[in-house]
Amino acid sequence: MMEQILDVAELLFSKHGFHGVTLKDVAKQVGVHHTLLNYYFDDKQTLFDAVFARRAVVTIDRRMQALDDYERAAAGKPTVEGALHAFLDTDLDLYIQGGEGWKNYGAFGAQASNSPEGAEFMDKYFDPVVLRLIDILKKALPDAAEEDIFWGYHFVTGALMLTLARTGRIDKLSHGLCLSDDYEAVKHRMARFMAAGFREICEQRKQDRG
Amino acid sequence: MMEQILDVAELLFSKHGFHGVTLKDVAKQVGVHHTLLNYYFDDKQTLFDAVFARRAVVTIDRRMQALDDYERAAAGKPTVEGALHAFLDTDLDLYIQGGEGWKNYGAFGAQASNSPEGAEFMDKYFDPVVLRLIDILKKALPDAAEEDIFWGYHFVTGALMLTLARTGRIDKLSHGLCLSDDYEAVKHRMARFMAAGFREICEQRKQDRG
DNA sequence: ATCATAACTCACTAGTGAGTGAATTTATTT
DNA sequence: AAATAAATTCACTCACTAGTGAGTTATGAT
């Protein structure tokens, strides 16, 4: 039952955010009395956190593992694209293979990261992985200015977050050519797209200097 | 007074979203009785829409104008970077020069685009400009597959939305090296970064083919 | 000064939200 | 079958939200 509650909460929070969902909404969709949620979870915030925590550890561990593996495999010569592939694809694979639940979690996370509190809370979890990524990026771009790498990273997360947030929505613009839950398509493009961006702004800096 | 109400609503909605803000919150911060908001605006949704509408037209007009100007100036040979500069910088300039209000609006828009309803509502306004951009991008990349351009565009908005959404928050990760309201820094990097990405995924497609 | 209108407040209603503690049902053990 | 514990519902409280309509103050024209 607890799992079902988390599943529904995950879905609803991902669509409407923390304040846009009531415990009754969740309970109703689960088909259970709303006070049962207070039985399993102290309060609304606890439920929200539980939704996050349930899967956060998994993503983080996998990503960290993937980055470690990549760096080892690269044997001292990592590339931006390689690092980004490790960072992004590992996550995207989860959403591709993990079924409905993981897709909702992706959207949930993206939504949560939008509020100041949510972002701060999540950063606590994710910062180590991000720093690990940035560490590898620095090795791949030894001449790069630190700001450039950080800005590049911001662009990457932005793109990823938007993709995750829009899961399941139709892209009217492209007349359905791009489905926002077509993570295969994203996986196929994103790392390479972003790697080129990183290279470019480092190049730009050299030009600015010289 | 109406302006003050809109200003405060803009700020609060940008932080907490539609459901995270009560009319009392807004009224209190304006220093006015909460029922006054019902005097100026039919209901909460009307207020929200008014916040959006107040500035939306300005951005859209300016962007559309900038794209038109660019295409004319490019005289049949537009570049991806040029188009993106027109599209992005025009907006960023507004946030740079427009003062606090415009910065809040940026965050407000990014926040609003996160909910399904909000996104759909906004898309109605923004679709024409976006299609105009994509039109130019297609001319700049005549060999590109349509999906690639749409995906690239998604990455661009994602990065932009994240930047706008995080306005005013400190980036702990970079120890303050990147300030998310340092739009000058974004302006300096984003168009070029993204243009390189576009080029790359078109290149990739050629490789995939041949 | 007077009247009219705009700007704003007050007192209130109806409804909803989260949360509590007692009561009941369901499952588990003995 | 009885006893016990877990799972679930019920009846309720308290705080708060959006919104309404009547009332009040300020503003401005005549």
Side-chain angles (χ1 to χ4, degrees):
Chain A
M1 178 56 48
M2 198 161 156
E3 290 296 308
Q4 288 178 59
I5 293 172
L6 287 170
D7 287 344
V8 171
E10 190 170 58
L11 174 68
L12 293 183
F13 281 137
S14 81
K15 282 194 188 142
H16 313 294
F18 183 78
H19 299 289
V21 176
T22 84
L23 294 181
K24 272 186 182 165
D25 293 338
V26 178
K28 195 176 177 185
Q29 190 153 332
V30 178
V32 89
H33 199 270
H34 78 276
T35 54
L36 188 62
L37 307 206
N38 290 71
Y39 173 71
Y40 284 108
F41 307 95
D42 281 1
D43 55 19
K44 194 181 176 183
Q45 187 65 52
T46 306
L47 169 61
F48 189 85
D49 293 353
V51 170
F52 177 76
R54 180 168 60 151
R55 303 196 204 261
V57 187
V58 180
T59 26
I60 290 168
D61 281 359
R62 280 181 49 128
R63 266 179 162 167
M64 197 60 108
Q65 185 70 49
L67 289 172
D68 286 347
D69 289 352
Y70 173 70
E71 192 167 29
R72 205 172 315 112
K77 301 198 173 208
T79 65
V80 176
E81 195 175 328
L84 288 177
H85 268 297
F87 183 78
L88 294 171
D89 297 6
T90 313
D91 223 41
L92 290 167
D93 282 338
L94 214 43
Y95 305 135
I96 291 167
Q97 297 155 8
E100 205 60 25
W102 275 99
K103 284 191 179 159
N104 293 338
Y105 177 72
F108 169 85
Q111 169 81 44
S113 77
N114 236 261
S115 81
E117 318 89 41
E120 196 170 345
F121 179 72
M122 282 177 62
D123 285 351
K124 271 184 209 154
Y125 283 76
F126 285 107
D127 275 1
V129 196
V130 174
L131 288 172
R132 187 82 186 77
L133 168 68
I134 286 175
D135 185 52
I136 303 179
L137 290 176
K138 278 182 188 166
K139 286 176 188 161
L141 296 166
D143 302 335
E146 208 166 358
E147 301 108 274
D148 287 340
I149 292 182
F150 278 110
W151 279 116
Y153 167 72
H154 280 307
F155 297 160
V156 173
T157 17
L160 181 62
M161 287 300 114
L162 189 88
T163 304
L164 297 180
R166 304 222 157 166
T167 297
R169 300 190 208 157
I170 312 154
D171 181 11
K172 278 189 189 162
L173 218 60
S174 69
H175 304 98
L177 208 59
C178 298
L179 298 167
S180 51
D181 49 358
D182 183 356
Y183 294 126
E184 279 293 356
V186 178
K187 190 177 154 189
H188 189 245
R189 287 169 179 87
M190 186 130 83
R192 209 160 155 174
F193 184 104
M194 296 294 159
F198 273 98
R199 282 196 300 275
E200 179 74 16
I201 53 176
C202 293
E203 190 56 37
Q204 175 178 20
R205 180 167 290 265
K206 276 187 204 161
Q207 285 172 19
D208 287 358
R209 275 183 193 142
Chain B
M1 179 54 50
M2 197 159 155
E3 291 296 309
Q4 288 178 61
I5 293 172
L6 287 170
D7 287 344
V8 172
E10 190 169 58
L11 174 68
L12 294 182
F13 281 138
S14 81
K15 283 194 186 140
H16 312 294
F18 183 78
H19 299 289
V21 177
T22 86
L23 294 180
K24 270 187 181 164
D25 293 338
V26 178
K28 195 177 177 185
Q29 189 152 332
V30 178
V32 87
H33 199 270
H34 78 276
T35 53
L36 187 62
L37 307 205
N38 290 34
Y39 172 71
Y40 284 110
F41 308 94
D42 282 359
D43 55 19
K44 194 181 176 185
Q45 186 64 53
T46 307
L47 169 61
F48 189 85
D49 294 352
V51 170
F52 177 77
R54 179 168 61 149
R55 303 197 203 260
V57 187
V58 180
T59 27
I60 289 167
D61 281 359
R62 280 180 48 130
R63 267 179 160 167
M64 196 61 108
Q65 185 71 49
L67 288 171
D68 286 346
D69 289 352
Y70 173 69
E71 192 168 27
R72 204 173 315 110
K77 298 195 175 216
T79 66
V80 176
E81 196 176 328
L84 288 176
H85 267 298
F87 183 78
L88 294 171
D89 296 6
T90 314
D91 223 42
L92 290 167
D93 282 338
L94 215 44
Y95 305 135
I96 292 167
Q97 297 156 8
E100 205 62 23
W102 274 99
K103 284 191 179 158
N104 293 338
Y105 177 74
F108 169 86
Q111 169 81 45
S113 76
N114 234 262
S115 81
E117 318 87 41
E120 198 171 345
F121 180 71
M122 283 177 63
D123 284 350
K124 271 186 208 153
Y125 283 74
F126 284 107
D127 276 0
V129 197
V130 174
L131 288 172
R132 187 84 184 76
L133 168 67
I134 285 176
D135 186 53
I136 304 179
L137 290 176
K138 279 182 187 167
K139 285 176 189 159
L141 296 165
D143 302 334
E146 209 167 358
E147 301 108 275
D148 287 340
I149 292 182
F150 279 110
W151 279 117
Y153 166 72
H154 281 306
F155 297 160
V156 172
T157 17
L160 182 62
M161 287 300 113
L162 189 90
T163 304
L164 297 180
R166 304 223 158 164
T167 297
R169 300 188 208 160
I170 312 154
D171 180 10
K172 276 188 189 163
L173 218 60
S174 69
H175 304 99
L177 208 60
C178 298
L179 297 167
S180 51
D181 49 358
D182 183 357
Y183 294 128
E184 279 293 354
V186 177
K187 189 177 154 189
H188 189 244
R189 287 167 179 88
M190 187 129 82
R192 209 159 155 179
F193 183 105
M194 296 294 158
F198 273 99
R199 281 196 300 274
E200 178 73 16
I201 52 174
C202 293
E203 190 55 37
Q204 175 179 21
R205 180 167 289 267
K206 274 185 204 161
Q207 285 172 18
D208 286 357
R209 274 185 193 140

